[in-house]
Amino acid sequence: MEGAGYRDNDVLLHWAPVEEAGDSTQIFFSKKDTSGGDSCTSEEEPTFDPGYEPDWAVISTVRPRHRHSEPTRGAEPSSPRGSWAFSVSLGELKSIRRSKPGLSWAYLVLVTQAGGSLPALHFHRGGTRALLRVLSRYLLLASSPQDSRLYLVFPHDSSALSNSFHHLQLFDQDSSNVVSRFFQDPYSTTFSSFSRVTNFFRGALQPHQEGASPDLPPAPDDEPEPGFEVISCVELGPRPAVERAPPVTEEEWARRMGPEGRLQQVPELKARIFSGGLSPSLRREAWKFLLGYLSWEGSAEEHKAHVRKKTDEYFRMKLQWKSVSPEQERRNSLLRGYRSLIERDVSRTDRNNKFYEGPENPGLGLLNDILLTYCMYHFDLGYVQGMSDLLSPILYVTQNEVDAFWCFCGFMELVHGNFEESQETMKRQLGQLLLLLRVLDPPLCDFLDSQDSGSLCFCFRWLLIWFKREFPFPDVLRLWEVLWTGLPGPNLHLLVACAILDMERDTLMLSGFGSNEILKHINELTMKLSVEDVLTRAEALYRQLTACRELPHNVQEILGLAPPAEPQSPSPPASPLPLSPTRAPPAPPPPADTVPQPDSSLEILPEEEEEGADS
């Protein structure tokens, strides 16, 4: 058992192993190779029955402070309880390591600031999670993605947390620039340092802390510690009921068309598209507005002039690659590589759709030409596997090469970061998704953590191509037009991911799945999800979060309820790797040091190959 005692503002942890049925020989203790210390002679029985864990209890008895003690090396303890008991100040702890899964019983090892390890705390009948939950009332616990069994320990007060920043540097591969990297991108730095702080401390890192002078600006030490996502324990209210509306029809669209062909009541029109989507016959016109090709405020004549200008611009760019001679292309490995990769991907994109099926299909030629022209439009990014998935529905709807190109460019303005070589955008989104899920469903997060799936790597493909492979083709059209409205706030696609996980939480948590089974189950959801059900749940989750008055500021930023902190020195856009004649760029996988890949199913596979994947 162990107890927490107080001396002034200090908190002590007292540990004494229990004996089962009075027979101390039934319990075995691992003995660390440590130096000796003063023996802790004080033993106290718990003053109350905790009612939930038989192996340990938190007691409130105030006792004199003891230094922690460890058994002397080579000494034979006369009593396991007396020899292996110790007390330690929580302020002296540096880290906590938990046992590997699959052992007959669990244990925890406490490491002190001095670098020594205390005797392992063995839990024969469970209780490690409950102990960590109680410790999180007094400490900040940070789990490292490099070692899922290691928790870093920090005091609760923000000044001490700032003073402990050197701990973060010890676990960062490039500690010299961890601060600057955090300010450039706090979420990606979070993924490269620690995944999250799993403690409940509302207001511990608020800008105006209790007792602070109101006349002075907050000190730099009062800012949240770099490398952490601050997860506050908030109590969400009931989830509201949400009903989807019918799609916007051509007649409704026409009623909103004012003089000179200008759309009127645009905010209300976007709200209608968000709540009901568009009728299929209206998409060809409306998508041009949603994707920024045509201005919501422009007149019909202004739109015609704009289309003429953009048509001329498109064909000038297309001519750049069309006019390259075979001899020139032999000396242009980049263009050769793009052409080869595009031809391969296009030949396997949505071939089950009637618009693209059959040999010598003209739609495939248009896909190919538009993607090659995009390489001329965006030299730095070029073509990356997965872009053909984003273009295919747009060309299907617009059925016009020029319109499809500029609508695709508008879509890429939203998601181009997903395809950049650095993958910082993908890491940031996975971090934001994890933060939302931690607030919405802590038990699900704990379960995924316990199965080494807390990085949410199985959501990578969802975010990369906006669920293109998860829903039937018509549902993808509905989902995308809703997301393009930008309502009810930014990052609705993250709430869509939360909604899918919320729908599957019971199956995941009650099935006993391991990490590979979780990944397999998520992949098998493909084409089995209802987009209307998912959108309904995503909107309900949004309303549930925004109704919470104590929503953490970082969650408010994700939902667009608070302005995001501006990075101090943004990184320059990443350029794609040069292509060789024999190597095409792979689909961007999660970085190996941040998002583990249990198997190859995270890659954006061609559809006919994906169907045969066993995971």
Side-chain angles (χ1 to χ4, degrees):
M1 71 174 188
E2 67 272 356
Y6 293 87
R7 183 175 182 267
D8 297 329
N9 292 328
D10 200 5
V11 182
L12 303 179
L13 174 71
H14 178 68
W15 172 269
V18 300
E19 297 174 318
E20 298 185 3
D23 183 4
S24 62
T25 62
Q26 295 182 16
I27 306 179
F28 299 88
F29 303 94
S30 64
K31 186 172 181 180
K32 293 287 182 181
D33 201 17
T34 57
S35 57
D38 297 334
S39 175
C40 175
T41 58
S42 172
E43 296 185 49
E44 298 188 24
E45 297 296 330
T47 57
F48 70 99
D49 180 4
Y52 46 87
E53 290 294 346
D55 276 0
W56 65 275
V58 175
I59 58 177
S60 57
T61 304
V62 179
R63 70 188 70 189
R65 178 177 178 178
H66 299 286
R67 294 185 58 84
H68 66 268
S69 63
E70 304 176 70
T72 305
R73 186 184 310 165
E76 291 293 327
S78 58
S79 169
R81 294 187 63 179
S83 300
W84 292 95
F86 62 83
S87 293
V88 62
S89 167
L90 297 188
E92 297 180 17
L93 296 181
K94 177 181 179 181
S95 61
I96 302 174
R97 180 175 293 278
R98 59 186 176 92
S99 57
K100 294 182 179 180
L103 301 179
S104 55
W105 65 74
Y107 64 84
L108 297 173
V109 176
L110 308 183
V111 180
T112 65
Q113 298 282 357
S117 297
L118 299 175
L121 313 183
H122 289 256
F123 297 80
H124 292 258
R125 296 188 294 274
T128 56
R129 284 184 173 274
L131 174 58
L132 292 174
R133 282 197 297 269
V134 173
L135 289 178
S136 68
R137 300 175 187 172
Y138 310 99
L139 301 168
L140 311 183
L141 303 180
S143 175
S144 171
Q146 285 84 5
D147 187 346
S148 61
R149 299 189 295 117
L150 183 65
Y151 296 91
L152 272 295
V153 175
F154 297 93
H156 248 304
D157 62 286
S158 61
S159 60
L161 182 62
S162 180
N163 293 334
S164 300
F165 182 65
H166 66 279
H167 290 296
L168 178 62
Q169 295 178 330
L170 292 176
F171 282 82
D172 193 271
Q173 295 179 350
D174 187 5
S175 60
S176 63
N177 67 342
V178 64
V179 178
S180 62
R181 287 192 293 109
F182 171 77
F183 283 114
Q184 293 172 15
D185 190 341
Y187 287 100
S188 62
T189 306
T190 295
F191 261 77
S192 62
S193 302
F194 304 109
S195 60
R196 61 196 162 279
V197 179
T198 56
N199 58 285
F200 298 158
F201 63 105
R202 185 183 299 109
L205 299 176
Q206 295 297 323
H208 301 287
Q209 296 180 346
E210 185 177 354
S213 173
D215 301 325
L216 298 176
D221 287 350
D222 291 332
E223 295 296 323
E225 184 66 51
F228 291 91
E229 291 178 5
V230 179
I231 311 297
S232 299
C233 177
V234 295
E235 293 186 4
L236 300 178
R239 190 174 300 173
V242 172
E243 291 186 5
R244 299 279 299 162
V248 178
T249 63
E250 289 183 282
E251 292 75 14
E252 182 177 353
W253 181 275
R255 288 197 301 269
R256 297 180 184 271
M257 193 70 68
E260 301 180 342
R262 298 182 191 271
L263 284 169
Q264 298 177 330
Q265 301 175 324
V266 172
E268 292 81 358
L269 180 57
K270 288 183 178 180
R272 276 288 291 117
I273 298 173
F274 166 75
S275 62
L278 296 162
S279 61
S281 59
L282 183 57
R283 287 183 175 132
R284 185 173 183 179
E285 180 179 0
W287 278 26
K288 300 173 187 178
F289 292 88
L290 288 170
L291 290 169
Y293 178 32
L294 298 182
S295 170
W296 292 96
E297 294 78 21
S299 66
E301 288 300 320
E302 289 171 342
H303 290 158
K304 290 179 182 179
H306 180 73
V307 169
R308 287 194 297 267
K309 176 184 175 182
K310 288 298 183 181
T311 300
D312 182 65
E313 185 177 347
Y314 171 76
F315 283 108
R316 284 202 308 269
M317 289 187 292
K318 183 175 181 179
L319 186 61
Q320 292 176 7
W321 63 266
K322 291 284 283 186
S323 61
V324 173
S325 67
E327 290 187 3
Q328 286 177 303
E329 188 165 328
R330 280 198 295 269
R331 294 186 294 270
N332 191 333
S333 61
L334 187 62
L335 180 59
R336 271 201 326 272
Y338 284 148
R339 188 190 296 274
S340 173
L341 184 58
I342 289 171
E343 288 177 355
R344 188 189 71 181
D345 287 354
V346 163
S347 66
R348 297 176 293 190
T349 298
D350 290 326
R351 296 308 301 274
N352 293 328
N353 188 299
K354 291 184 178 180
F355 189 75
Y356 297 109
E357 69 181 2
E360 306 298 329
N361 187 296
L364 301 181
L366 293 178
L367 285 176
N368 181 87
D369 289 359
I370 293 171
L371 292 171
L372 274 171
T373 305
Y374 185 79
C375 294
M376 302 294 104
Y377 174 79
H378 200 316
F379 284 104
D380 287 338
L381 185 59
Y383 177 81
V384 180
Q385 188 180 14
M387 290 182 182
S388 61
D389 275 289
L390 302 185
L391 173 59
S392 170
I394 295 176
L395 180 59
Y396 170 83
V397 167
T398 62
Q399 300 191 18
N400 178 278
E401 182 178 1
V402 175
D403 293 345
F405 173 81
W406 290 112
C407 287
F408 174 69
C409 290
F411 195 5
M412 288 301 299
E413 284 296 312
L414 299 175
V415 299
H416 70 88
N418 292 2
F419 299 95
E420 290 175 352
E421 180 187 347
S422 67
Q423 289 297 289
E424 293 302 317
T425 299
M426 287 300 301
K427 288 184 283 185
R428 181 172 63 252
Q429 289 180 87
L430 286 170
Q432 292 171 331
L433 175 58
L434 180 60
L435 178 55
L436 289 173
L437 196 63
R438 174 64 62 181
V439 174
L440 287 167
D441 198 340
L444 177 58
C445 283
D446 290 340
F447 167 76
L448 295 174
D449 285 338
S450 70
Q451 302 302 321
D452 294 325
S453 298
S455 62
L456 305 182
C457 62
F458 48 82
C459 299
F460 183 84
R461 188 178 69 185
W462 295 0
L463 306 183
L464 181 69
I465 53 175
W466 274 30
F467 309 93
K468 169 61 164 53
R469 298 284 183 90
E470 319 312 319
F471 293 94
F473 197 88
D475 284 2
V476 171
L477 308 183
R478 173 60 46 82
L479 173 65
W480 284 3
E481 63 198 16
V482 170
L483 295 177
W484 290 336
T485 64
L487 298 175
N491 299 312
L492 179 62
H493 66 296
L494 299 180
L495 289 174
V496 169
C498 290
I500 296 174
L501 294 176
D502 185 68
M503 295 168 69
E504 298 298 319
R505 75 180 305 274
D506 290 342
T507 301
L508 293 173
M509 297 181 68
L510 301 178
S511 61
F513 285 166
S515 59
N516 288 335
E517 290 81 8
I518 291 174
L519 179 60
K520 185 174 185 293
H521 175 76
I522 294 298
N523 284 343
E524 290 175 347
L525 295 176
T526 299
M527 305 301 163
K528 299 178 182 177
L529 298 168
S530 165
V531 70
E532 292 296 334
D533 291 345
V534 171
L535 286 172
T536 299
R537 192 170 299 229
E539 184 179 355
L541 293 176
Y542 176 86
R543 294 186 185 182
Q544 184 182 28
L545 288 170
T546 54
C548 177
R549 295 183 177 181
E550 298 180 348
L551 199 64
H553 186 269
N554 46 6
V555 178
Q556 294 183 40
E557 290 181 358
I558 297 172
L559 300 178
L561 304 177
E566 295 184 2
Q568 291 188 351
S569 53
S571 302
S575 300
L577 287 172
L579 296 176
S580 68
T582 58
R583 183 173 63 86
D593 61 337
T594 57
V595 183
Q597 300 183 53
D599 58 35
S600 61
S601 61
L602 291 180
E603 182 180 343
I604 303 300
L605 297 174
E607 294 190 355
E608 54 266 33
E609 295 180 12
E610 186 182 32
E611 292 175 357
D614 57 6
S615 58

